[in-house]
PDB file of all heavy atoms in Angstrom:
ATOM      1  N   PRO A 100     122.394 -52.033-101.262  1.00 99.00           N
ATOM      2  CA  PRO A 100     122.025 -51.943 -99.713  1.00 99.00           C
ATOM      3  C   PRO A 100     121.948 -50.463 -99.300  1.00 99.00           C
ATOM      4  O   PRO A 100     122.873 -49.802 -99.512  1.00 99.00           O
ATOM      5  CB  PRO A 100     123.071 -52.721 -99.004  1.00 99.00           C
ATOM      6  CG  PRO A 100     124.176 -53.063 -99.860  1.00 99.00           C
ATOM      7  CD  PRO A 100     123.831 -52.418-101.224  1.00 99.00           C
ATOM      8  N   THR A 101     120.997 -50.077 -98.610  1.00 98.00           N
ATOM      9  CA  THR A 101     120.812 -48.686 -98.187  1.00 98.00           C
ATOM     10  C   THR A 101     120.192 -48.537 -96.778  1.00 98.00           C
ATOM     11  O   THR A 101     119.678 -49.644 -96.283  1.00 98.00           O
ATOM     12  CB  THR A 101     120.004 -47.799 -99.022  1.00 98.00           C
ATOM     13  OG1 THR A 101     118.561 -48.057 -98.683  1.00 98.00           O
ATOM     14  CG2 THR A 101     120.106 -48.129-100.485  1.00 98.00           C
ATOM     15  N   MET A 102     120.347 -47.462 -96.118  1.00 98.00           N
ATOM     16  CA  MET A 102     119.550 -47.244 -94.803  1.00 98.00           C
ATOM     17  C   MET A 102     118.369 -46.318 -95.109  1.00 98.00           C
ATOM     18  O   MET A 102     117.858 -45.611 -94.182  1.00 98.00           O
ATOM     19  CB  MET A 102     120.463 -46.712 -93.831  1.00 98.00           C
ATOM     20  CG  MET A 102     121.677 -47.543 -93.577  1.00 98.00           C
ATOM     21  SD  MET A 102     122.409 -47.436 -91.875  1.00 98.00           S
ATOM     22  CE  MET A 102     122.960 -45.766 -91.925  1.00 98.00           C
ATOM     23  N   GLY A 103     117.981 -46.091 -96.397  1.00 98.00           N
ATOM     24  CA  GLY A 103     116.789 -45.325 -96.779  1.00 98.00           C
ATOM     25  C   GLY A 103     117.008 -43.844 -96.780  1.00 98.00           C
ATOM     26  O   GLY A 103     118.205 -43.329 -96.834  1.00 98.00           O
ATOM     27  N   HIS A 109     121.986 -42.592-104.162  1.00 98.00           N
ATOM     28  CA  HIS A 109     121.464 -43.936-104.085  1.00 98.00           C
ATOM     29  C   HIS A 109     120.833 -44.337-105.470  1.00 98.00           C
ATOM     30  O   HIS A 109     121.096 -45.440-105.911  1.00 98.00           O
ATOM     31  CB  HIS A 109     120.364 -44.090-103.052  1.00 98.00           C
ATOM     32  CG  HIS A 109     120.706 -43.836-101.596  1.00 98.00           C
ATOM     33  ND1 HIS A 109     120.284 -42.798-100.955  1.00 98.00           N
ATOM     34  CD2 HIS A 109     121.537 -44.634-100.832  1.00 98.00           C
ATOM     35  CE1 HIS A 109     120.783 -42.788 -99.771  1.00 98.00           C
ATOM     36  NE2 HIS A 109     121.517 -43.863 -99.641  1.00 98.00           N
ATOM     37  N   SER A 126     117.688 -52.890-100.554  1.00 99.00           N
ATOM     38  CA  SER A 126     117.366 -53.088 -99.222  1.00 99.00           C
ATOM     39  C   SER A 126     117.378 -51.660 -98.454  1.00 99.00           C
ATOM     40  O   SER A 126     118.198 -50.911 -98.820  1.00 99.00           O
ATOM     41  CB  SER A 126     118.220 -54.058 -98.458  1.00 99.00           C
ATOM     42  OG  SER A 126     119.449 -53.593 -98.352  1.00 99.00           O
ATOM     43  N   PHE A 128     117.354 -50.781 -94.462  1.00 98.00           N
ATOM     44  CA  PHE A 128     117.557 -51.168 -93.162  1.00 98.00           C
ATOM     45  C   PHE A 128     118.395 -50.236 -92.338  1.00 98.00           C
ATOM     46  O   PHE A 128     119.679 -50.111 -92.724  1.00 98.00           O
ATOM     47  CB  PHE A 128     118.107 -52.573 -93.073  1.00 98.00           C
ATOM     48  CG  PHE A 128     118.197 -53.181 -91.713  1.00 98.00           C
ATOM     49  CD1 PHE A 128     117.123 -53.308 -90.929  1.00 98.00           C
ATOM     50  CD2 PHE A 128     119.409 -53.471 -91.230  1.00 98.00           C
ATOM     51  CE1 PHE A 128     117.209 -53.841 -89.554  1.00 98.00           C
ATOM     52  CE2 PHE A 128     119.576 -53.944 -89.870  1.00 98.00           C
ATOM     53  CZ  PHE A 128     118.528 -54.105 -89.037  1.00 98.00           C
ATOM     54  N   VAL A 129     117.897 -49.549 -91.415  1.00 98.00           N
ATOM     55  CA  VAL A 129     118.642 -48.596 -90.607  1.00 98.00           C
ATOM     56  C   VAL A 129     119.476 -49.611 -89.537  1.00 98.00           C
ATOM     57  O   VAL A 129     118.824 -49.974 -88.608  1.00 98.00           O
ATOM     58  CB  VAL A 129     117.957 -47.491 -89.968  1.00 98.00           C
ATOM     59  CG1 VAL A 129     118.841 -46.631 -89.118  1.00 98.00           C
ATOM     60  CG2 VAL A 129     117.184 -46.802 -90.967  1.00 98.00           C
ATOM     61  N   ASN A 130     120.622 -49.748 -89.795  1.00 98.00           N
ATOM     62  CA  ASN A 130     121.348 -50.931 -89.069  1.00 98.00           C
ATOM     63  C   ASN A 130     121.930 -50.443 -87.732  1.00 98.00           C
ATOM     64  O   ASN A 130     122.772 -49.638 -87.667  1.00 98.00           O
ATOM     65  CB  ASN A 130     122.514 -51.338 -89.965  1.00 98.00           C
ATOM     66  CG  ASN A 130     123.363 -52.325 -89.233  1.00 98.00           C
ATOM     67  OD1 ASN A 130     122.942 -53.197 -88.471  1.00 98.00           O
ATOM     68  ND2 ASN A 130     124.735 -52.161 -89.572  1.00 98.00           N
ATOM     69  N   GLN A 133     125.732 -50.267 -86.561  1.00 98.00           N
ATOM     70  CA  GLN A 133     126.842 -49.382 -86.951  1.00 98.00           C
ATOM     71  C   GLN A 133     126.827 -47.983 -86.360  1.00 98.00           C
ATOM     72  O   GLN A 133     127.653 -47.207 -86.808  1.00 98.00           O
ATOM     73  CB  GLN A 133     126.873 -49.351 -88.465  1.00 98.00           C
ATOM     74  CG  GLN A 133     125.669 -48.675 -89.071  1.00 98.00           C
ATOM     75  CD  GLN A 133     125.642 -48.940 -90.673  1.00 98.00           C
ATOM     76  OE1 GLN A 133     125.350 -49.945 -91.155  1.00 98.00           O
ATOM     77  NE2 GLN A 133     126.040 -47.858 -91.425  1.00 98.00           N
ATOM     78  N   TYR A 143     117.831 -40.802 -87.085  1.00 98.00           N
ATOM     79  CA  TYR A 143     118.288 -41.020 -88.470  1.00 98.00           C
ATOM     80  C   TYR A 143     116.918 -40.773 -89.291  1.00 98.00           C
ATOM     81  O   TYR A 143     116.019 -41.324 -89.074  1.00 98.00           O
ATOM     82  CB  TYR A 143     118.885 -42.369 -88.676  1.00 98.00           C
ATOM     83  CG  TYR A 143     119.583 -42.451 -90.013  1.00 98.00           C
ATOM     84  CD1 TYR A 143     120.980 -41.897 -90.153  1.00 98.00           C
ATOM     85  CD2 TYR A 143     119.038 -42.917 -91.119  1.00 98.00           C
ATOM     86  CE1 TYR A 143     121.576 -41.993 -91.315  1.00 98.00           C
ATOM     87  CE2 TYR A 143     119.541 -42.954 -92.414  1.00 98.00           C
ATOM     88  CZ  TYR A 143     120.973 -42.477 -92.459  1.00 98.00           C
ATOM     89  OH  TYR A 143     121.627 -42.439 -93.625  1.00 98.00           O
ATOM     90  N   HIS A 196     132.019 -49.108 -85.653  1.00 98.00           N
ATOM     91  CA  HIS A 196     131.146 -48.718 -86.859  1.00 98.00           C
ATOM     92  C   HIS A 196     131.216 -49.704 -87.916  1.00 98.00           C
ATOM     93  O   HIS A 196     130.282 -50.224 -88.510  1.00 98.00           O
ATOM     94  CB  HIS A 196     131.488 -47.226 -87.332  1.00 98.00           C
ATOM     95  CG  HIS A 196     130.850 -46.927 -88.654  1.00 98.00           C
ATOM     96  ND1 HIS A 196     129.525 -46.866 -88.808  1.00 98.00           N
ATOM     97  CD2 HIS A 196     131.380 -46.665 -89.841  1.00 98.00           C
ATOM     98  CE1 HIS A 196     129.352 -46.462 -90.124  1.00 98.00           C
ATOM     99  NE2 HIS A 196     130.431 -46.449 -90.710  1.00 98.00           N
ATOM    100  N   GLY A 199     129.878 -53.074 -87.442  1.00 98.00           N
ATOM    101  CA  GLY A 199     128.440 -53.185 -87.739  1.00 98.00           C
ATOM    102  C   GLY A 199     128.119 -53.205 -89.179  1.00 98.00           C
ATOM    103  O   GLY A 199     127.194 -54.018 -89.648  1.00 98.00           O
ATOM    104  N   VAL A 200     128.847 -52.421 -89.996  1.00 99.00           N
ATOM    105  CA  VAL A 200     128.656 -52.339 -91.414  1.00 99.00           C
ATOM    106  C   VAL A 200     128.944 -53.689 -92.154  1.00 99.00           C
ATOM    107  O   VAL A 200     128.172 -54.246 -92.814  1.00 99.00           O
ATOM    108  CB  VAL A 200     129.462 -51.274 -92.130  1.00 99.00           C
ATOM    109  CG1 VAL A 200     129.478 -51.343 -93.700  1.00 99.00           C
ATOM    110  CG2 VAL A 200     129.093 -49.907 -91.677  1.00 99.00           C
ATOM    111  N   VAL A 203     126.400 -56.404 -91.208  1.00 99.00           N
ATOM    112  CA  VAL A 203     125.165 -56.365 -91.791  1.00 99.00           C
ATOM    113  C   VAL A 203     125.199 -56.741 -93.351  1.00 99.00           C
ATOM    114  O   VAL A 203     124.330 -57.243 -93.932  1.00 99.00           O
ATOM    115  CB  VAL A 203     124.384 -55.137 -91.438  1.00 99.00           C
ATOM    116  CG1 VAL A 203     124.725 -54.017 -92.299  1.00 99.00           C
ATOM    117  CG2 VAL A 203     122.883 -55.258 -91.615  1.00 99.00           C
ATOM    118  N   VAL A 204     126.318 -56.166 -93.877  1.00 99.00           N
ATOM    119  CA  VAL A 204     126.285 -56.351 -95.341  1.00 99.00           C
ATOM    120  C   VAL A 204     126.683 -57.863 -95.615  1.00 99.00           C
ATOM    121  O   VAL A 204     126.074 -58.311 -96.624  1.00 99.00           O
ATOM    122  CB  VAL A 204     127.524 -55.414 -95.948  1.00 99.00           C
ATOM    123  CG1 VAL A 204     127.874 -55.795 -97.387  1.00 99.00           C
ATOM    124  CG2 VAL A 204     127.128 -53.956 -95.812  1.00 99.00           C
ATOM    125  N   LEU A 207     123.358 -59.434 -95.364  1.00 99.00           N
ATOM    126  CA  LEU A 207     122.473 -59.147 -96.547  1.00 99.00           C
ATOM    127  C   LEU A 207     122.902 -59.850 -97.813  1.00 99.00           C
ATOM    128  O   LEU A 207     122.116 -60.305 -98.573  1.00 99.00           O
ATOM    129  CB  LEU A 207     122.425 -57.647 -96.788  1.00 99.00           C
ATOM    130  CG  LEU A 207     121.732 -56.745 -95.763  1.00 99.00           C
ATOM    131  CD1 LEU A 207     122.037 -55.282 -95.895  1.00 99.00           C
ATOM    132  CD2 LEU A 207     120.196 -57.004 -95.704  1.00 99.00           C
ATOM    133  N   PHE A 218     128.093 -49.653-104.149  1.00 98.00           N
ATOM    134  CA  PHE A 218     128.177 -48.808-102.901  1.00 98.00           C
ATOM    135  C   PHE A 218     128.702 -47.424-103.625  1.00 98.00           C
ATOM    136  O   PHE A 218     129.293 -47.317-104.568  1.00 98.00           O
ATOM    137  CB  PHE A 218     129.303 -49.292-102.057  1.00 98.00           C
ATOM    138  CG  PHE A 218     128.815 -50.692-101.459  1.00 98.00           C
ATOM    139  CD1 PHE A 218     129.024 -51.807-102.075  1.00 98.00           C
ATOM    140  CD2 PHE A 218     128.052 -50.697-100.233  1.00 98.00           C
ATOM    141  CE1 PHE A 218     128.598 -53.063-101.570  1.00 98.00           C
ATOM    142  CE2 PHE A 218     127.587 -51.738 -99.701  1.00 98.00           C
ATOM    143  CZ  PHE A 218     127.851 -53.046-100.317  1.00 98.00           C
ATOM    144  N   ASP A 222     131.383 -42.839 -99.276  1.00 98.00           N
ATOM    145  CA  ASP A 222     131.828 -43.686 -98.169  1.00 98.00           C
ATOM    146  C   ASP A 222     132.990 -44.495 -98.475  1.00 98.00           C
ATOM    147  O   ASP A 222     132.914 -45.728 -98.532  1.00 98.00           O
ATOM    148  CB  ASP A 222     130.608 -44.448 -97.564  1.00 98.00           C
ATOM    149  CG  ASP A 222     129.532 -43.633 -97.093  1.00 98.00           C
ATOM    150  OD1 ASP A 222     129.682 -42.912 -96.134  1.00 98.00           O
ATOM    151  OD2 ASP A 222     128.413 -43.660 -97.579  1.00 98.00           O
ATOM    152  N   GLN A 225     134.240 -47.220 -96.170  1.00 98.00           N
ATOM    153  CA  GLN A 225     133.251 -48.418 -96.086  1.00 98.00           C
ATOM    154  C   GLN A 225     133.438 -49.318 -97.330  1.00 98.00           C
ATOM    155  O   GLN A 225     133.435 -50.510 -97.278  1.00 98.00           O
ATOM    156  CB  GLN A 225     131.964 -47.814 -96.011  1.00 98.00           C
ATOM    157  CG  GLN A 225     130.804 -48.761 -96.367  1.00 98.00           C
ATOM    158  CD  GLN A 225     129.390 -48.250 -96.201  1.00 98.00           C
ATOM    159  OE1 GLN A 225     128.934 -48.092 -94.975  1.00 98.00           O
ATOM    160  NE2 GLN A 225     128.635 -47.917 -97.236  1.00 98.00           N
ATOM    161  N   ILE A 229     134.433 -53.286 -97.464  1.00 98.00           N
ATOM    162  CA  ILE A 229     133.546 -54.296 -97.992  1.00 98.00           C
ATOM    163  C   ILE A 229     134.318 -55.110 -99.133  1.00 98.00           C
ATOM    164  O   ILE A 229     134.246 -56.306 -99.181  1.00 98.00           O
ATOM    165  CB  ILE A 229     132.245 -53.655 -98.518  1.00 98.00           C
ATOM    166  CG1 ILE A 229     131.431 -53.253 -97.320  1.00 98.00           C
ATOM    167  CG2 ILE A 229     131.403 -54.589 -99.440  1.00 98.00           C
ATOM    168  CD1 ILE A 229     130.335 -52.307 -97.542  1.00 98.00           C
TER     169      ILE A 229
HETATM  170  O1  PAF B1008     126.106 -46.904 -96.605  1.00 63.60           O
HETATM  171  C1  PAF B1008     125.136 -47.306 -95.968  1.00 63.60           C
HETATM  172  O2  PAF B1008     123.958 -46.808 -96.121  1.00 63.60           O
HETATM  173  C2  PAF B1008     125.250 -48.426 -94.951  1.00 63.60           C
HETATM  174  O3  PAF B1008     126.399 -48.265 -94.202  1.00 63.60           O
HETATM  175  C3  PAF B1008     125.053 -49.770 -95.597  1.00 63.60           C
HETATM  176  C4  PAF B1008     126.000 -50.156 -96.568  1.00 63.60           C
HETATM  177  C5  PAF B1008     123.620 -49.965 -96.102  1.00 63.60           C
HETATM  178  C6  PAF B1008     125.123 -50.849 -94.369  1.00 63.60           C
HETATM  179  O4  PAF B1008     124.095 -50.657 -93.359  1.00 63.60           O
END
Side-chain angles (χ1 to χ4, degrees):
T101 81
M102 299 206 299
H109 299 110
S126 65
F128 178 64
V129 182
N130 174 36
Q133 68 188 73
Y143 195 82
H196 168 69
V200 169
V203 82
V204 169
L207 292 168
F218 297 88
D222 296 300
Q225 163 174 286
I229 291 165

